[in-house]
Amino acid sequence: MSAEAEARTRPFDDALKDAQARIRAHMEMRLAGSDDLHAAMRYAVSGGKMLRGFLVLESARLHGVPQEAAIEAALAIECIHAYSLVHDDLPCMDDDDLRRGQPTLHRKWDEAMAVLAGDSLQSFAFELLADPKVGPHALSLIRGLAQSSGKDGMVSGQMLDIAAETAAGPLTLDQITRLQGRKTGCLIEWSATAGAVLAGSDSAPLRQYARALGLAFQIADDILDVEGDAAKVGKAVRKDADAGKATFVSLLGLAEAKARAKDLCAEACAALSPYGEAAATLKEAARFVIARDS
């Protein structure tokens, strides 16, 4: 990483807010259509923490990737994440009425619009990554996102999650770890390594960081489902317990789950040692993941 990258390190809260503002502005420019489909797509992307997009931008900063390339990748991952949530909320899957404190997309419009908006967000993500501005390593990034979001990644994790609801017995800890590694972890890993991939650099340290971060993120989600306030979380809570679903909390217990998340946070931070002080913002991001209330 460059001295310039280290000099631009800033507090996580500031970096996250800046990433959110930049991604939203780029979304408004790239999804400026006036029809209902564009409106639904914008609705789906807006309102979240945009942590994945932040990870793209921050990893790009570490590797000196031009901002015009990084912002395309950051919006792309937010589109993929938004599409997954829109489809996940549908009655045929989790059947949720609330997302990010607002009506889910199929409640605000209808199920057909939710399917179409999700489909459009998925294809739009790859359109963004195919932009010439993304640079000479775009194909590696596109291939990685296809693998992380598809049959061996996020979609596979969602399938395993649905299958668990009708399984003869609750999942084991190893099975839940595998499920969540695909459902949640794959996209976080893609996001955190995107900057290294765009720069043609070694992504191993960021990959190790992301794997610990992704698991910590899901454990924190399970803790929020037990302790969280629906008004702050922005969606229904205690659904897992009501459904008798095995989670990190149900298997480990609340105290041990919190301890495991803390250990994973430390592991993620340690993985960033090759970057020195330039990775301070990413370390703060790991601490945020296990301390968040939404």
Side-chain angles (χ1 to χ4, degrees):
M1 81 297 306
S2 66
E4 181 184 6
E6 186 166 345
R8 291 203 309 271
T9 302
R10 51 209 167 135
F12 168 72
D13 286 347
D14 292 345
L16 181 62
K17 288 175 183 176
D18 178 64
Q20 291 167 343
R22 289 171 58 196
I23 294 167
R24 288 190 186 111
H26 198 60
M27 176 194 69
E28 293 291 341
M29 180 183 73
R30 296 299 303 264
L31 287 175
S34 59
D35 60 18
D36 281 350
L37 179 59
H38 282 82
M41 292 169 74
R42 290 191 297 269
Y43 182 84
V45 176
S46 300
K49 291 181 287 295
M50 299 189 175
L51 180 64
R52 292 157 189 80
F54 157 80
L55 289 172
V56 170
L57 295 177
E58 191 62 18
S59 67
R61 180 192 66 80
L62 277 180
H63 292 86
V65 173
Q67 290 190 17
E68 59 267 26
I71 194 63
E72 300 291 349
L75 179 56
I77 193 61
E78 288 301 327
C79 287
I80 289 287
H81 180 52
Y83 123 72
S84 75
L85 299 180
V86 169
H87 284 188
D88 195 34
D89 289 337
L90 285 168
C92 63
M93 295 183 72
D94 280 1
D95 194 15
D96 278 316
D97 297 327
L98 194 68
R99 171 69 68 179
R100 295 169 172 171
Q102 299 293 328
T104 48
L105 197 146
H106 70 277
R107 294 300 182 198
K108 185 171 178 65
W109 278 273
D110 54 35
E111 290 182 40
M113 180 60 78
V115 171
L116 294 171
D119 289 347
S120 297
L121 285 165
Q122 183 189 43
S123 60
F124 181 56
F126 293 99
E127 180 183 335
L128 289 165
L129 293 178
D131 191 296
K133 293 193 293 291
V134 175
H137 300 287
L139 184 58
S140 295
L141 211 59
I142 290 168
R143 180 179 176 83
L145 185 56
Q147 292 172 330
S148 297
S149 62
K151 64 180 178 59
D152 297 316
M154 179 193 69
V155 172
S156 172
Q158 183 62 36
M159 181 272 296
L160 292 172
D161 198 21
I162 291 171
E165 295 176 3
T166 55
L171 298 183
T172 66
L173 186 60
D174 285 346
Q175 288 173 322
I176 291 177
T177 301
R178 175 173 174 261
L179 184 162
Q180 297 299 349
R182 293 187 178 192
K183 184 178 177 182
T184 302
C186 281
L187 292 189
I188 288 178
E189 184 174 326
W190 185 91
S191 304
T193 57
V197 173
L198 283 169
S201 300
D202 180 19
S203 63
L206 286 171
R207 195 171 304 281
Q208 185 180 350
Y209 164 82
R211 287 178 178 171
L213 182 72
L215 189 53
F217 186 97
Q218 186 55 49
I219 293 174
D221 255 11
D222 288 353
I223 292 169
L224 280 173
D225 191 63
V226 174
E227 294 188 327
D229 178 350
K232 290 182 179 179
V233 175
K235 61 181 181 180
V237 296
R238 283 167 276 285
K239 286 189 68 177
D240 291 341
D242 292 344
K245 189 174 178 181
T247 66
F248 287 108
V249 172
S250 70
L251 292 175
L252 295 174
L254 191 57
E256 189 174 343
K258 289 180 178 180
R260 178 64 176 141
K262 187 175 180 180
D263 289 344
L264 285 164
C265 176
E267 183 180 328
C269 291
L272 297 172
S273 58
Y275 299 103
E277 287 303 311
T281 307
L282 284 175
K283 291 179 181 179
E284 281 193 60
R287 290 188 280 269
F288 162 80
V289 158
I290 65 169
R292 61 197 168 91
D293 59 7
S294 66

